[in-house]
Amino acid sequence: MPKKGGGGTSSKKVAQVQNFDDDGSNIVFGDDTSTKRNKKNSAAASKQQDDPAIPSGQESSKKPDTRQLIGGASWTGKLPVNLLSEHCQKQKWAKPDYTMNKTSNGFLSAVILRTTDPKTKETMTLAPFVLPPSYKDVATQPTAVEARHFAATYALFRVCSMRNIHMMLPPHYRDLWKNDFEASKKEDIKAGRAWMYEAEPFAAKQAQDEAQAQKIRRRTEEEKKQSLGAKQSINMPLVPGSTGGPSKGNMAKGWIQAPKLEMGKRNRAQVEDLVRSNAVWNPHGIDFPNAQYQDVIQELAHLGFRQSHVEEAIADCKDRKEVLEWLLIHVPEDDLPAWSLPEGYTAGISMASGNLKRDAMIRRLAEAGYSIDLCARTLDEHSGNERTAAEALQKSISTPSQQCVVSLEIDENVSMQAWAEEQATLSAIFGQRLKITSTSISEIDLQLDHLKPCALRVNRSTAYPQLPPIVAVIAPRLPAYIRLSTVRQLLDHATQSLLGEPMVFNLVDWLENEIPRIIEKPGKLRDVSAAITGSSLNGSINVKKPANVKPKAASISWKGGTPESLELYHRWLSQQDTPKQQKMLAVRHALPAWIQKEAIIQAVNENQVTIISGETGSGKSTQAVQFILDDMIQRRLGSCANLICTQPRRISALGLADRVSDERCTVVGDEVGYVIRGDSKNRPGRTKITFVTTGVLLRRLQTSGGRTEDVVAALADVSHVVIDEVHERSLDTDFLLVLLRDVLAKRRDLKVVLMSATLDATVFEDYFKRTSSVGKVNIEGRTFPVEDYYLDDIVQFTCFVPRTQHHGRGEEEIQEADPNVARSIQNLGMKLNYELIVSCVKSIDQQLGSQEGGILIFLPGVVEINRTLDAIRSLPNTHPLPLHASLLPSEQRRVFPPSPRGKRKVIAATNVAETSITIEDIVAVIDCGKVKETSFDPHNSMVKLEEVWASRAACKQRRGRAGRVRAGKCYKLYTRNAEAKMAERPEPEIRRVPLEQLCLSVKAMGVVDVPGFLRSALTPPETLAVGSAMELLRRIGALEDDELTALGRHLSMIPADLRCGKLMVYGATFGCFEACLTVAAILTVKSPFVSPQNKRDESKAARSSFAPNEGDLICDLRAYNEWSAMKSQSNYRDTRLWCDQNYLSSQTLQDISSHRSQYLSSLQDAGFLPPDYNAGISNSLNSHNTNFALIRALIAGAFNPQVTRIEFPDRKFAPSVSGTIELDPDARTIKFFNQDNGRVFVHPSSTLFDAQGFVGNSVYMSYFTKMATSKVFIRELTPFNAYTLLLFGGPITLDTLGRGLIVDGWLKLRGWARIGVLVSRLRTMLDEVLAQKIENPGLDVAGSEVVGVVRKLVEFDGMDR
């Protein structure tokens, strides 16, 4: 038994070990090197433990104490055993126990954890935490003390691997945590043992025990059912008229209610032909695992497949799943196991046409086993001659040796005479067994009792007996391919042994002896596949991996005094004395940044990383880059200068490019330029300072190839990377910092400058100082004072009294105000009061009087901006302007020029106006103190865009806007107490947003270990969030086997929400690009419909009228299309009136149009669309823009796995004059279920809230947004059918009890297993088509056969139309 807190197996040894043992426990993996070192350092300790005769005090002076042994001479922190004990105490677990085993190589220890239920007093004990056997050498330690600490470290890792506890461990154990333990964890997760690393191990154990118990119960039940099903399957081919379908008693309730899946005959034939001809099996040539070979054969044979078929499939496939798919596609229907067949299936031939004679001939030809379609086609090719058609069909299955036989010339009469003589002889031999149906055709019954009726039909060939006759084995109980395989082998026997003499008797004799053997081992399906199906098993789609080859930039040659550098220097020198430049220099000299010019230059030249912090208005954003450039020009290194300065927003990049160009007396696009999404002005080689958005620089690095060397090469011609507003900690910025830190280690001449107004320099210094030298410069801000007014002050001097009362502000927020003001503030509530904002603007305007100066209002979002501007327009003499990220650059620039004479500029902006832009005439700021932030809960995958309080750092930035050019005032629409409760700084975006796009970008750069890469970020994201993101990428089809799919590569190049990007890719692929582009823009902005408080029903009715029961997004799409057409044909007044009548927002429609243009530019930049793309000319990309059934399917595919199952109530009927009719269900009785939340509810604002039915056989619903309030509501809904789910949903698995298919692990479909496999292979082929388009973006894939088949299946729900 293990000792509590101890570690030995004998008391003597334990006593000696405990001298080293003042610890707890943690997780550790060692290596051979450390083991040898530990053995050497601990020789004395080992010797004493092995020899109890040595007095304990004799060696004490030579041995280190426990702290030195475990942590090293300088270690002052806690030891692993202590840390584990403390963790157990915090979790209210029992004190950890340690096992100890002495081996020939050292000591092995393990931790046992226990907990006692305080209510039931039951104690639960976990199995010892032991490393896998492959890590035994790592776990073996020289001494018992080290073994205990190793065990403690590993135990800590098992329960705390998602935390950064390893930073508290001694160095050796920290390395074990990060290397060996992490490697072992990855192996366990890959093997499906992720539960071993839960923070609550006891709960995980209970869940695992229950899962195992359920699995055993389920397996027992399935084995009973499969045993019965397998027996039916094996006997089915030999049972005449077998139906093969599963019995209804086999259906559980969930399967009975599942939608039924059907595929039209013509569609199925086309899909089967396409898949058999082009599907790629085992494209990478992976050898089938020998260890699984016999197990798979036995398992699939037990399920009813023939062993020879399984062996043939294994030869072509890489794993069990692919083998099963191969079998279900290639094994003929009449030889498939019963569980794989549809309900009510009957084997046999069914035809119907107006030509009875032709039908009879086709039926006779098909009795041999050939497919109906092949028989009909061959008969037509031979002008209705049944005999020559039969001869051609037989030739299609003949072996190469049979085809090489050259017959001698023989007279037709001689052949007929020999045939007649042989028939007479056969009649005497076989008697009634012989039936002569014509002068050239006869049938002989075969004596095979288990196959009766069974006969050989013989038709004289034109060169008989120099060539074999035309033969057919007529045996309805034999599968068609076995009949054909029998004929093939029979002809081979005749060719080799019987030519030149009468052979029919010998053929009959051979058949009666050999058919039992052929049934057992019928040969390869591929030998007769063309005859069974009319297509070949061979063939593949040739797909080449896209070659990501880009011209590499030339490296910088740091050679001074080159002709180009001298020319730059002389041009710069001559310009300094011009009056215009002197005027600009005077302005620059007045900036606080100028004082620190030399300090900035020195810091940049002496360090790889420079951190510049400066107050708002200090000029750091405009001056630092110029200081660096001017210094390089003066040092005759101007030709080497290439500065890239990142900005978080487009308007910042545009504004700074304009401002710096003006200060250098040049035009934008020459010495100073910019590159933003969809627009650029720069001249490679000529432009020295380029302002870019952070995303643009990331895209440059992302498309470089992915390895650190590729990223280094992408920046080869860049001398300085300047990251402005780094304090905002956007997702892109943190990603860029990780990349740059790796690049700096490879390129020592590259300089990185970090700039911000409110910067915690220590955080960034610590991040970079391990790999690079870091310099710091601080710039004081302007001295223009800004006077603050808080909410109570504003209410007081505006004398504002709310017209309506809202309660919600806490008493603590307003305790300092006088009673009347406090009452007004209390009545304001927590929401924005637009009347108060108008009163404040009016008061500021009155105070300023005739003085010039603009007013800047900070608001949370676009909706609030629009409402504020609508309210301000009632004030005379104001010039209201919006400013937010959704505006076009030309619209954003309108805020910079002075307002018209006699008007006061009033700008309503989001936080884009906080930093990096200077609006010269702003003298007053109104700050609502709110911001809209995205928050993400990885536990339930819920994303929320919430209006929250801004941080104090952000409010300080806003305040500073009023003091940029002169003394100003800041009006804060919140109290002093509210300000005190604000967070100091915003939480990094990487910790509060979904990480799918980031993980995809990292993966697209070739990073193998995405979680490991992100752990090196300045603030690592939650492990759970990264895991959820990677899982979602797999589920949407962007990742497969941890490699990017063709779709994933497309999405990584499109700067949009993954779902919107996926939708646009699908749109271009399926020929409805413009429609999908519009839907993506609508999702990015919002629905164009407005819903006034008192006219919500009218608004919803107007929205629904555009596309009844087709879903919210189709309604929005059609409304936008009508608005777009009307705008181009009618005047503004008529268009605005139409919008008002239909409850549409003109501004929102304009925003959607703007986003369409932005996405279009991005797709052209990414090479996805041709540069000269024109919607009216590119017919192949837009030939299906009005196919709304297809568009609904693509929307659902893009949103997957955001899918709900529609559960309809039991059908009800009512009598009528024409008979009973089915009643539409009440909308309230229709229920919706998703995988994560169970039952969910349609949001009342949706057009489908009151729907009693859905268009196009829809049985599922996709949603874009899920929000939790009193219930879990879903919005932006689109109904879709079963084939959409099959083609664009999650993985398809087969229910081997014959009940149907399971999609994505939870959505059930009753249907034929073969349909599921066909669709699964069709999806693979679609991915290959996308891969071709990746390689050649100009390739027209909308007309490809694969795309056409998919389009038809989803449009008509699998049926023939």
Side-chain angles (χ1 to χ4, degrees), residues 845-1129:
D845 182 52
Q846 291 172 352
Q847 291 176 28
L848 292 173
S850 60
Q851 298 180 56
E852 292 186 357
I855 303 171
L856 177 59
I857 308 172
F858 283 99
L859 295 160
V862 177
V863 173
E864 292 77 12
I865 287 174
N866 292 334
R867 290 179 180 173
T868 299
L869 293 179
D870 288 341
I872 288 174
R873 289 188 181 99
S874 63
L875 296 177
N877 305 324
T878 58
H879 180 54
L881 294 168
L883 178 58
H884 52 81
S886 299
L887 295 175
L888 291 172
S890 58
E891 296 172 323
Q892 292 176 335
R893 287 194 178 101
R894 292 171 56 202
V895 303
F896 295 110
S899 59
R901 184 177 295 275
K903 298 278 189 179
R904 188 174 306 284
K905 187 194 301 182
V906 181
I907 302 170
T910 59
N911 57 353
V912 301
E914 282 181 12
T915 56
S916 297
I917 63 169
T918 301
I919 305 173
E920 295 289 352
D921 53 355
I922 297 299
V923 296
V925 166
I926 300 175
D927 180 15
C928 73
K930 297 289 185 70
V931 67
K932 284 190 176 176
E933 274 189 357
T934 300
S935 64
F936 175 66
D937 185 351
H939 294 279
N940 58 15
S941 299
M942 293 288 284
V943 180
K944 296 180 182 179
L945 181 63
E946 298 177 307
E947 185 178 296
V948 298
W949 288 110
S951 66
R952 288 201 295 274
C955 290
K956 183 179 179 182
Q957 291 282 79
R958 297 178 178 186
R959 176 182 183 272
R961 300 293 102 181
R964 294 295 294 266
V965 293
R966 71 182 196 199
K969 296 180 179 180
C970 180
Y971 299 86
K972 302 180 177 182
L973 302 183
Y974 46 88
T975 64
R976 292 171 177 81
N977 287 336
E979 183 180 55
K981 294 178 181 178
M982 291 178 179
E984 181 64 30
R985 289 183 179 82
E987 186 177 19
E989 198 174 25
I990 200 171
R991 301 279 295 182
R992 56 179 175 82
V993 299
L995 301 177
E996 293 84 32
Q997 189 73 58
L998 176 61
C999 291
L1000 184 64
S1001 298
V1002 173
K1003 197 68 185 176
M1005 297 185 68
V1007 176
V1008 177
D1009 183 11
V1010 175
F1013 178 88
L1014 294 178
R1015 278 197 296 271
S1016 64
L1018 187 61
T1019 303
E1022 289 187 39
T1023 304
L1024 181 60
V1026 176
S1028 299
M1030 296 295 289
E1031 178 59 27
L1032 182 59
L1033 289 177
R1034 294 184 189 97
R1035 294 185 69 179
I1036 68 174
L1039 283 181
E1040 184 176 340
D1041 297 329
D1042 282 337
E1043 293 294 332
L1044 281 181
T1045 62
L1047 176 63
R1049 292 194 293 274
H1050 267 311
L1051 295 180
S1052 68
M1053 296 187 293
I1054 300 175
D1057 178 279
L1058 288 181
R1059 295 164 294 180
C1060 294
K1062 189 175 178 182
L1063 180 60
M1064 290 185 280
V1065 169
Y1066 281 160
T1069 304
F1070 287 89
C1072 50
F1073 173 70
E1074 285 288 318
C1076 291
L1077 179 66
T1078 300
V1079 174
I1082 290 169
L1083 291 168
T1084 305
V1085 182
K1086 63 175 182 176
S1087 171
F1089 288 92
V1090 295
S1091 182
Q1093 187 79 20
N1094 57 342
K1095 292 187 177 181
R1096 286 184 175 176
D1097 292 338
E1098 292 89 337
S1099 171
K1100 188 189 294 186
R1103 188 183 186 190
S1104 300
S1105 66
F1106 284 94
N1109 292 338
E1110 291 201 51
D1112 303 323
L1113 295 176
I1114 301 298
C1115 291
D1116 295 347
L1117 169 63
R1118 286 187 166 179
Y1120 176 87
N1121 289 343
E1122 288 192 31
W1123 170 80
S1124 182
M1126 177 168 284
K1127 189 178 68 164
S1128 62
Q1129 299 169 4

Side-chain angles (χ1 to χ4, degrees), residues 1175-1227:
I1177 299 174
S1178 302
N1179 292 327
S1180 63
L1181 289 174
N1182 295 296
S1183 55
H1184 297 276
N1185 271 332
T1186 57
N1187 187 339
F1188 293 104
L1190 173 63
I1191 295 169
R1192 287 199 313 273
L1194 300 185
I1195 290 171
F1199 291 2
N1200 182 67
Q1202 294 171 200
V1203 174
T1204 61
R1205 173 176 59 85
I1206 304 174
E1207 184 177 291
F1208 295 95
D1210 294 336
R1211 297 192 297 172
K1212 295 182 180 180
F1213 300 87
S1216 69
V1217 176
S1218 58
T1220 57
I1221 59 172
E1222 185 176 351
L1223 299 175
D1224 290 330
D1226 187 332

Side-chain angles (χ1 to χ4, degrees), residues 631-647:
D631 174 64
M632 293 187 72
I633 291 174
Q634 292 177 70
R635 289 192 289 134
R636 316 305 194 269
L637 290 171
S639 62
C640 305
N642 184 10
L643 288 77
I644 292 182
C645 182
T646 70
Q647 295 294 325

Side-chain angles (χ1 to χ4, degrees), residues 104 343 370 386 399 498 531 843 928 1013 1023 1047 1095 1164 1227 1360:
S104 59
E343 296 177 55
Y370 303 105
E386 183 177 355
T399 64
L498 305 177
S843 177
C928 73
F1013 178 88
T1023 304
L1047 176 63
K1095 292 187 177 181
Q1164 288 173 318
D1360 297 328

Side-chain angles (χ1 to χ4, degrees), residues 416 667 698 720 817 825 874 888 960 998 1037:
M416 290 183 64
V667 295
L698 277 176
H720 298 74
I825 294 175
S874 63
L888 291 172
L998 176 61

Side-chain angles (χ1 to χ4, degrees), residues 776-793:
K776 292 188 290 185
V777 179
N778 183 58
I779 305 173
E780 297 296 330
R782 278 189 182 274
T783 57
F784 298 121
V786 176
E787 190 174 355
D788 292 326
Y789 295 92
Y790 289 87
L791 183 58
D792 50 342
D793 304 319

